[in-house]
Amino acid sequence: MKVVTFGEIMLRLMPEGDGRFVQAGRYNASYGGGEASVAVSLANFGLDSKFVSRLPKHEIGQAGVNALRKFGVDTTDIVRGGDRVGICFLERGAGWRPPKEIYDRTGSSISQAVRGDFDWDRILEGADWFHFTAITPALSDNTAEICLEAVKKAREKGITVSCGLDYQSGLWSGQKAGRVMGELCKYVDVCIAGAEDVRNVFGIREADTDIKDGRLSREGYRDVAKRLADRFGFRKVAVTPPVLSCANESGWAALLYDGEGYYFSRNYNMHIVDRTGGSDSFGAGLIYACLRGMEPEGIIEFAAAACCFKYGIEGAFNLVTADEVLKLAAGDASGRVRK
Amino acid sequence: MKVVTFGEIMLRLMPEGDGRFVQAGRYNASYGGGEASVAVSLANFGLDSKFVSRLPKHEIGQAGVNALRKFGVDTTDIVRGGDRVGICFLERGAGWRPPKEIYDRTGSSISQAVRGDFDWDRILEGADWFHFTAITPALSDNTAEICLEAVKKAREKGITVSCGLDYQSGLWSGQKAGRVMGELCKYVDVCIAGAEDVRNVFGIREADTDIKDGRLSREGYRDVAKRLADRFGFRKVAVTPPVLSCANESGWAALLYDGEGYYFSRNYNMHIVDRTGGSDSFGAGLIYACLRGMEPEGIIEFAAAACCFKYGIEGAFNLVTADEVLKLAAGDASGRVRK
Amino acid sequence: MKVVTFGEIMLRLMPEGDGRFVQAGRYNASYGGGEASVAVSLANFGLDSKFVSRLPKHEIGQAGVNALRKFGVDTTDIVRGGDRVGICFLERGAGWRPPKEIYDRTGSSISQAVRGDFDWDRILEGADWFHFTAITPALSDNTAEICLEAVKKAREKGITVSCGLDYQSGLWSGQKAGRVMGELCKYVDVCIAGAEDVRNVFGIREADTDIKDGRLSREGYRDVAKRLADRFGFRKVAVTPPVLSCANESGWAALLYDGEGYYFSRNYNMHIVDRTGGSDSFGAGLIYACLRGMEPEGIIEFAAAACCFKYGIEGAFNLVTADEVLKLAAGDASGRVRK
Amino acid sequence: MKVVTFGEIMLRLMPEGDGRFVQAGRYNASYGGGEASVAVSLANFGLDSKFVSRLPKHEIGQAGVNALRKFGVDTTDIVRGGDRVGICFLERGAGWRPPKEIYDRTGSSISQAVRGDFDWDRILEGADWFHFTAITPALSDNTAEICLEAVKKAREKGITVSCGLDYQSGLWSGQKAGRVMGELCKYVDVCIAGAEDVRNVFGIREADTDIKDGRLSREGYRDVAKRLADRFGFRKVAVTPPVLSCANESGWAALLYDGEGYYFSRNYNMHIVDRTGGSDSFGAGLIYACLRGMEPEGIIEFAAAACCFKYGIEGAFNLVTADEVLKLAAGDASGRVRK
Amino acid sequence: MKVVTFGEIMLRLMPEGDGRFVQAGRYNASYGGGEASVAVSLANFGLDSKFVSRLPKHEIGQAGVNALRKFGVDTTDIVRGGDRVGICFLERGAGWRPPKEIYDRTGSSISQAVRGDFDWDRILEGADWFHFTAITPALSDNTAEICLEAVKKAREKGITVSCGLDYQSGLWSGQKAGRVMGELCKYVDVCIAGAEDVRNVFGIREADTDIKDGRLSREGYRDVAKRLADRFGFRKVAVTPPVLSCANESGWAALLYDGEGYYFSRNYNMHIVDRTGGSDSFGAGLIYACLRGMEPEGIIEFAAAACCFKYGIEGAFNLVTADEVLKLAAGDASGRVRK
Amino acid sequence: MKVVTFGEIMLRLMPEGDGRFVQAGRYNASYGGGEASVAVSLANFGLDSKFVSRLPKHEIGQAGVNALRKFGVDTTDIVRGGDRVGICFLERGAGWRPPKEIYDRTGSSISQAVRGDFDWDRILEGADWFHFTAITPALSDNTAEICLEAVKKAREKGITVSCGLDYQSGLWSGQKAGRVMGELCKYVDVCIAGAEDVRNVFGIREADTDIKDGRLSREGYRDVAKRLADRFGFRKVAVTPPVLSCANESGWAALLYDGEGYYFSRNYNMHIVDRTGGSDSFGAGLIYACLRGMEPEGIIEFAAAACCFKYGIEGAFNLVTADEVLKLAAGDASGRVRK
């Protein structure tokens, strides 16, 4: 089964160990980006996974291509051009020191892509699923247009479309996000959203929720999922709570709503090695589980386990096989050595 | 006082930091192996400690010898020959990602040792204690024979024999392990066993035990220890529960049975930096405490504290002095800086 | 506003990662020292911060100067001379393995400073605050004399004087500490003390306190603070409990007494990346908050938050801005990424 | 244009920096192997490059697959099975200390491949060129048979066959090598050989040659190439002199003989960062230049430049584009920064 | 004596060791930039050195400020604002592999500075010398204007102005460079130029020169220097040949022309650890030697020695004292250990 | 055969890579010292090697013991006591930047040893050779006395005594060195000296020698050796020229004079990875070759080859076997990979 993802791939630069930016004499370099993470996850799960983007011809761009090819992602439709790879400087938090990100993505190749760069008719040929996140249309008006063209073409071809509703306030206002995503969501079948993103983008919030400490009542989640599905006609909606590093004691569980039932994953206590890519790992798990034809209970458990696994892996990509996720989803978390 | 240990020494290759194998551009290299760990522990405690094995003549073998000499272990009876040092690739777990080991020990020098390689009469001269684990006879029929020769000679000479009952399913079946170890245990005085190993090797299990989450009732442990002692005539039996990394909240305590009383160590909450060598550190602590003539209560506290200390040390070896263990065993775990 | 600090700056050598000294093939090198840490904190908070000390002319001394200049500390009154930079070998603890420090500061340049080295009249010109810790007079009789000269001159000039009452048993006896510090404290306005230091230096202890597990009742803290203030006429006294790495579950809170009211900070659970410099970060936070004219409640929250932030930073210096501390002090500890 | 290569891929473990094996606390890990290097070179030059081998299913095997995919090599015909990845421990030389290799490849998956593992008819479909080295048939009788099957099938299909005549004395005797390679060479069109390999495998040596210091007269090279071509009917023969690290002053040049003319590359002085993969980079350069239809003079210059470029790159793979090689081959070696 | 420099400060990211960009999992991070290097050199020589630029407020910008403060550079006139720090990805060459730079400086804070950002009247107060390079006016039309304002103000105040005539083809055409620099050079007293830059910017070339292999006859250098001085009325002109890494055998010497005499430094054979900042180290050496009132022979020897010393230092900055340069300039190059 | 060496063992701290002290965020840590290096060399050559010294009880001292035990050196007569391990900060040179050492050995344990610490009668029992260098008596008057006691006792017992005549100007004046060493040399049989040390300590210099560029005519070396032998009655004298890193083109050769003949080793061009321990490696080679009963020609070739090998090894210790040295001494320097 073949999945096409479209979006940004960035260079992540992270000071060694627990260092702050002002201490950094060495940066660990890796590549990331929402849809790129989904593409790698899916390739690791064994699907036919193609990632579409735009990257400069020089070696910093080439290294981005290589980072995806390494895990078997099909990169043949990455357009080469432009000057810059977007950069994300990332400082890991520790104790009471929160993590910190500095985005340096102005003028990145993907943000300056134009519609003619991608022949969606050809790219989507033979695909079963198309995925993007709200980051991509936020990069520029051009990328928003390209997304719209892609999802329309996907719907035309009967390809399932999923969208990760990640909201980045540095890229656009909630208002603009709401308008653009509102249009795009008309062509989306499966919506994957953090509870806060839903509020920021569509203003959907549940009464009496103290969002500050990241806890929504289960009732609140159900309400949010239903309202989303009702507004846009999504066939499936998944909602996840924020993952807090300083409040490890509070559990984390995700919800799937398929228009009929509400399915919660089991509850996880989080220990976070690297918080990047958690929601994308969740999304990839959900796509995989859907394509494999799992039942709703299995889908949400697989997606949640994929997400939890990711928090124990350094870098943006979820370097885990479907087997490993299945074991965790099945509750085998004894922590014993796998031989 | 002089202790002789016999067994395998392997090269441990561990991806830097929290990296997975597929991310590893650099491996931290160290040497380990059950009996080698015991030998280093005992040398660090101040005993006269000799380690007996077989290693290739080349530098990868020499580095194994050096790793032991560094801590004062007598390596003069390590036979040099054969082609390979067994390798253990080791991936540290994190969060919900479990640790993983890949053993690459086929054709290792020690597994191809033959009986004539070791003159036990001479090697054991002047020794007070002989120790091996169930890994060694599992390596090959030859090493099983060599173990048998060694323990018979030790008994002849009135040397105390201890055995760590570690079961590795990749090396032999439980059935074969039961048969070979059953024969060897006739010459063993002190048996050190994980609760699961006892079940796997000798089929001794306590009714109503949910071994899956690693919790045996204290009653169950007593029962296991007594049945082991009764079957083989061990003078002392120590039983330890599994150490779980994903369930830190559950405590850990070890049991000593000396044919008369049952002695539990105090309960520890574990934080694991490196899980290799925990049971061997426990074993070394037990041997040291016995040789120093401690009371049963002191023996099990020393062994348990040695084990807990190890989980805070990187590498296979327990790089800790008897003084440091005694302080922890005495309950001084205030975590203040030692100046 | 301008603060002058006087004291030692040492080279800190720490084995990489969680390594013990006997494993160290590589040391992370940084510079630290109580007053130096205060000076860096204050520069990072945006104050005019001058550090006074004595360092050799060679490059190991120069690197100490550079380590301070990097963060904007004024080093123009560091006297260059003598042979050695004091060294602190530092082993990070983990799990049940406690941290360990080996001091190698004999013959350090600062310990061999003489009174004529520092022209306090000129150095203190324009200063609003002078700070030192009990480490400095402990280094040698000379440095004790120099401290006395400095605090007298500061009082003369109407400069506020604060003292961190850190007691290091390797440098002097409690008796000598009590005598020397008793004399110096006559010129001190603000005293910052760990509960144990007060006991060790001045023998002030509260009845019925089980100091061993580091817990003083809140009543006990109030009593200690009041007795300190009463004995020396301090205008402000801050008392902090020990920070325990093996007992994370127990909370930590600090107390400020200003002669009228007793103000406790809120309670923190600690996760410690690097324990060096915690009390100095607390002290710097307190100095900054006082100089900024905060209310007592704000002062103790700012100082406590600065301290907690530090435990999440590698190295001796608290590399944090006043804004970051204010956010934490205001209770925003959601652990979300700052973008 | 499509090239298929068949052979071994090994894990290379190299002590950091200039360390010796007995100093190694950390190994840089990469993957290499003669034909794998050729495959990566060709992919980097922009050809369609498929590598065929056998690797275990576990992650150490998977990492080998990934190492090739990263550079765009088609790995879909790598059979997964067996237990081990062959390992090469590699110590870089320095000054008067020569480099050192310890091979640990006993029982590697590829050495235990059987004929049925590879369906050459399908694998070679659409290929223009097939390449292997003398290492592969040396691994086991099975791999020798598989090679024979492959080259026969290639000839049948009219695919050009090239062979790198690398002789490894640890794998087989010169006599056996001569016999097996003699049979295989009947199906080889292009032979790429080091001068010493020719002597070791086929006993072809030129009179009056002091092979000890690695210098063959140009006349001698011509003679060797002609005798090789005459004996086996090769269409092209390339001969390279040894590359000496301790004799930088002596130049290095390669020869191509195409049955009509003798073409020497220009002379290079070598500076060696990593000596692995030099001859394979030469071979890949030669294959590429032939497939691109270059003239003999261009072919040998391109191959020689590709080889020289490699000696400046760490790891076994020649991470260089055709453009970069062309520039060097064209004599632009000014050492100025490429912007 | 006080020197003010104005220009760019960039983040330099360099793959560890000899790695290529496509191998980089870790980047060594440092800060550089032509004028910033000059500023650090001069501070290390003991002068009062101020660097003027524009940097973002975030931590990547702050780390740039810190990198300069560390060595005592006055950074109080660095304007904070804008979004980006320009980045230079830098791949060290080795053997026949040339070094490579990828500039990512679009939209950097300094390139978007406006005239009102810098109050040159105040900034230049008390200065003895002002320095900039041709990189700065090349960044944007704004920075060209700012440069012009600065040099005019400097001339007004009687401050000596020097210019490093570095030409970067990626920033502007030779034609535009010639026009802009032609205007700026009217206010320049001391011109420091590479032979190729003079050709690229002003089209001044000596007949019969094979620039390709970087060798100009001494006669040619004299001619170039004289023509430059004649055209712009420079009081001093220094000309340096390119430094070639692949042609170590050819020596390197620099020329000073002071309107009267021609002074060549002695000849150096180069070994290059890091080629960045060589010409700036030369420039800083020249400025220092002039300000110290050395004779022309001494000036060119000091500048040349400073430059050679730099090639042995990692990073962009010349971390060397005036004493160290003087020793090398005096011919003490015995390579013995300094104790 | 058993050799006893007596002297200092220091902690060597070296900035990573080519870093200067002011750049060092990480130090590579190893142990060194003249006689310790000799002891390790001899153990690596297969002799029974005992090293005698004094080291603190703490872990920094223990790590020194371990560094020797690792290579099989007998450390049982290292006295434990005192506070400090002497430290040598070491900056590797590069290009025109010379290497630099900062010694921080004041108050080291060995410098404060007293005569009663060592029972030479017992220590030297069974020894065939005793070795020390001029560094040891230079550390303090006590160590000078202890040396005298040791060499007297050695002569009494008929043990051959060798002395490395290394002169360190930071420890004593040439005058004092001459007086103390003059007394000690009465008991020395074999003297190993650098040409410059002979001049500094005993004022023996040959006319017309330009010592500045390190070149002594062969005639001059012969003269120096003969005058040394004549003055002190040495049975053997070896003289080595300085090893220059910036003048690689000049060869290096060593001389042995045995009272009858003068034997020069062959000439080596040096490439230096780490210059520490070269003369000690030469000394250890000489001792080994003498004890193995080689002819004078073989002795000087072995010693010279051991020395050259060392310059290619990182750290102070010559980690090389007798076989490896013999191959190099025999002229096999082809630089080919040893398999």
Side-chain angles (χ1 to χ4, degrees), chain E residues 18 47 61-62 64 68 84 94 120 169 175 205 210 218 245 248 266 276 288 295 297 326 328:
Chain E
D18 284 315
L47 298 191
Q62 185 61 46
L68 296 164
R84 298 198 62 219
W120 289 109
S169 59
Q175 204 170 12
R205 76 175 68 201
D210 178 8
R218 296 210 155 195
S245 67
N248 291 327
R266 62 198 183 83
T276 314
Y288 176 80
E295 295 300 307
E297 294 86 348
L326 282 169
L328 179 56

Side-chain angles (χ1 to χ4, degrees), chain F residues 21-326:
Chain F
F21 292 130
V22 293
Q23 296 175 298
R26 225 166 276 177
Y27 280 101
N28 288 326
S30 61
Y31 284 81
E35 299 87 353
S37 294
V38 169
V40 168
S41 269
L42 293 173
N44 281 330
F45 291 156
L47 298 191
D48 195 352
S49 171
K50 166 173 287 193
F51 177 67
V52 181
S53 187
R54 188 164 177 262
L55 277 172
K57 281 179 192 155
H58 58 52
E59 285 92 337
I60 308 304
Q62 185 61 45
V65 171
N66 294 0
L68 296 165
R69 290 201 299 206
K70 182 179 174 185
F71 298 107
V73 173
D74 179 349
T75 61
T76 51
D77 279 312
I78 293 180
V79 174
R80 303 298 293 273
D83 294 328
R84 297 198 63 219
V85 177
I87 295 176
C88 176
F89 293 94
L90 194 65
E91 182 182 295
R92 181 148 62 178
W96 290 102
R97 175 168 61 81
K100 199 157 197 172
E101 287 173 352
I102 296 174
Y103 282 101
D104 175 20
R105 62 184 14 151
T106 318
S108 69
S109 288
I110 177 65
S111 74
Q112 303 188 334
V114 294
R115 281 189 54 175
D117 282 338
F118 306 99
D119 175 358
W120 289 110
D121 215 16
R122 188 185 54 69
I123 291 171
L124 292 173
E125 204 169 294
D128 299 285
W129 196 291
F130 176 76
H131 177 78
F132 72 108
T133 75
I135 307 290
T136 308
L139 294 174
S140 67
D141 290 346
N142 280 4
T143 53
E145 271 181 47
I146 297 169
C147 281
L148 192 59
E149 188 188 359
V151 294
K152 283 182 176 172
K153 183 62 72 182
R155 170 134 308 179
E156 232 180 85
K157 289 174 174 276
I159 297 168
T160 304
V161 173
S162 62
C163 173
L165 202 69
D166 308 296
Y167 175 67
Q168 284 210 0
S169 59
L171 288 172
W172 55 5
S173 66
Q175 205 170 11
K176 184 168 181 190
R179 185 161 43 77
V180 174
M181 291 310 300
E183 181 64 19
L184 284 163
C185 280
K186 294 179 189 165
Y187 305 91
V188 168
D189 302 293
V190 177
C191 178
I192 302 152
E196 290 179 303
D197 299 310
V198 179
R199 189 177 47 127
N200 287 321
V201 176
F202 293 126
I204 295 177
R205 77 174 69 198
E206 200 253 346
D208 307 330
T209 302
D210 178 8
I211 209 75
K212 194 143 190 200
D213 57 351
R215 288 191 206 113
L216 271 176
S217 66
R218 295 208 157 199
E219 197 47 54
Y221 275 90
R222 286 194 195 94
D223 180 54
V224 164
K226 182 154 196 339
R227 283 160 66 187
L228 263 181
D230 288 353
R231 188 186 302 182
F232 296 102
F234 298 136
R235 285 194 281 129
K236 285 194 178 69
V237 173
V239 183
T240 56
V243 178
L244 305 182
S245 67
C246 290
N248 290 328
E249 75 286 353
S250 81
W252 178 97
L255 165 68
L256 177 68
Y257 172 60
D258 64 356
E260 301 185 0
Y262 297 92
Y263 307 90
F264 278 93
S265 74
R266 62 198 184 83
N267 217 46
Y268 288 92
N269 290 309
M270 287 293 184
H271 171 84
I272 300 176
V273 164
D274 188 322
R275 62 169 48 245
T276 315
S279 65
D280 302 302
S281 299
F282 178 84
L286 196 123
I287 294 170
Y288 176 80
C290 287
L291 281 169
R292 282 284 178 247
M294 296 187 190
E295 293 301 306
E297 293 86 348
I299 291 171
I300 193 65
E301 287 295 4
F302 190 91
C307 177
C308 290
F309 215 105
K310 172 62 196 71
Y311 287 118
I313 293 175
E314 291 196 332
F317 296 156
N318 200 10
L319 304 177
V320 63
T321 63
D323 266 8
E324 290 177 308
V325 175
L326 282 169

Side-chain angles (χ1 to χ4, degrees), chain C residues 11 13 16 20-22 24-29 58-60 62-63 66 84-85 87 89 100 102 104 106, chain F residues 11 13 16 20-22 24-29 58-60 62-63 66 84-85 87 89 100 102 104:
Chain C
L11 175 60
L13 295 173
E16 280 193 312
R20 302 212 74 182
F21 292 130
V22 293
R26 225 166 276 180
Y27 280 101
N28 289 325
H58 58 51
E59 284 92 338
I60 309 304
Q62 185 62 44
N66 294 0
R84 297 198 62 219
V85 177
I87 295 175
F89 293 95
K100 200 157 196 171
I102 296 174
D104 176 19
T106 316
Chain F
L11 176 59
L13 294 173
E16 278 193 313
R20 302 212 75 181
F21 292 130
V22 293
R26 225 166 276 177
Y27 280 101
N28 288 326
H58 58 52
E59 285 92 337
I60 308 304
Q62 185 61 45
N66 294 0
R84 297 198 63 219
V85 177
I87 295 176
F89 293 94
K100 199 157 197 172
I102 296 174
D104 175 20

Side-chain angles (χ1 to χ4, degrees), chain D residues 194-249:
Chain D
E196 289 178 304
D197 298 311
V198 179
R199 189 176 48 128
N200 288 321
V201 175
F202 294 126
I204 296 176
R205 76 175 69 201
E206 199 253 347
D208 307 331
T209 302
D210 178 7
I211 208 75
K212 195 144 190 201
D213 57 351
R215 288 191 205 114
L216 271 176
S217 67
R218 295 209 155 195
E219 197 47 55
Y221 276 89
R222 286 193 196 96
D223 180 56
V224 164
K226 181 155 196 340
R227 284 161 66 187
L228 264 181
D230 289 351
R231 189 186 301 182
F232 296 102
F234 298 136
R235 285 193 281 130
K236 285 195 178 70
V237 173
V239 184
T240 55
V243 178
L244 305 182
S245 67
C246 290
N248 291 327
E249 74 286 351

Side-chain angles (χ1 to χ4, degrees), chain C residues 76-270:
Chain C
T76 50
D77 279 311
I78 294 181
V79 174
R80 302 300 292 275
D83 293 329
R84 297 198 62 219
V85 177
I87 295 175
C88 176
F89 293 95
L90 192 67
E91 181 181 295
R92 181 149 63 178
W96 290 100
R97 175 168 62 81
K100 200 157 196 171
E101 285 173 354
I102 296 174
Y103 282 101
D104 176 19
R105 58 176 29 140
T106 316
S108 68
S109 288
I110 177 65
S111 74
Q112 302 187 335
V114 294
R115 280 188 55 174
D117 282 338
F118 306 98
D119 175 358
W120 290 110
D121 213 15
R122 187 185 54 70
I123 292 171
L124 292 173
E125 204 169 294
D128 299 285
W129 196 292
F130 176 77
H131 177 77
F132 73 108
T133 76
I135 307 290
T136 308
L139 294 174
S140 68
D141 289 348
N142 280 4
T143 53
E145 270 180 48
I146 297 168
C147 281
L148 192 58
E149 189 189 358
V151 294
K152 282 182 176 171
K153 183 63 71 182
R155 172 134 308 179
E156 234 179 85
K157 289 175 174 273
I159 297 168
T160 303
V161 174
S162 61
C163 173
L165 203 68
D166 307 295
Y167 175 67
Q168 283 210 1
S169 59
L171 287 173
W172 55 3
S173 67
Q175 207 170 9
K176 184 169 181 190
R179 185 163 42 76
V180 173
M181 291 309 300
E183 182 63 18
L184 284 162
C185 281
K186 293 179 190 164
Y187 305 91
V188 168
D189 303 292
V190 177
C191 178
I192 301 152
E196 290 178 304
D197 298 311
V198 178
R199 189 177 47 129
N200 288 322
V201 174
F202 294 125
I204 296 177
R205 77 174 71 201
E206 200 254 347
D208 307 330
T209 302
D210 178 8
I211 207 75
K212 194 142 188 200
D213 58 351
R215 289 193 203 111
L216 270 177
S217 67
R218 295 208 154 197
E219 197 46 56
Y221 276 89
R222 286 193 194 94
D223 181 54
V224 163
K226 184 160 194 337
R227 284 160 66 187
L228 263 181
D230 288 353
R231 190 188 296 182
F232 296 102
F234 298 135
R235 286 193 281 131
K236 287 195 177 69
V237 173
V239 184
T240 57
V243 177
L244 304 182
S245 67
C246 291
N248 291 328
E249 75 286 351
S250 84
W252 178 97
L255 166 68
L256 176 68
Y257 172 60
D258 64 356
E260 301 184 0
Y262 297 91
Y263 307 90
F264 277 93
S265 74
R266 62 199 184 81
N267 216 47
Y268 288 91
N269 291 308
M270 287 294 186

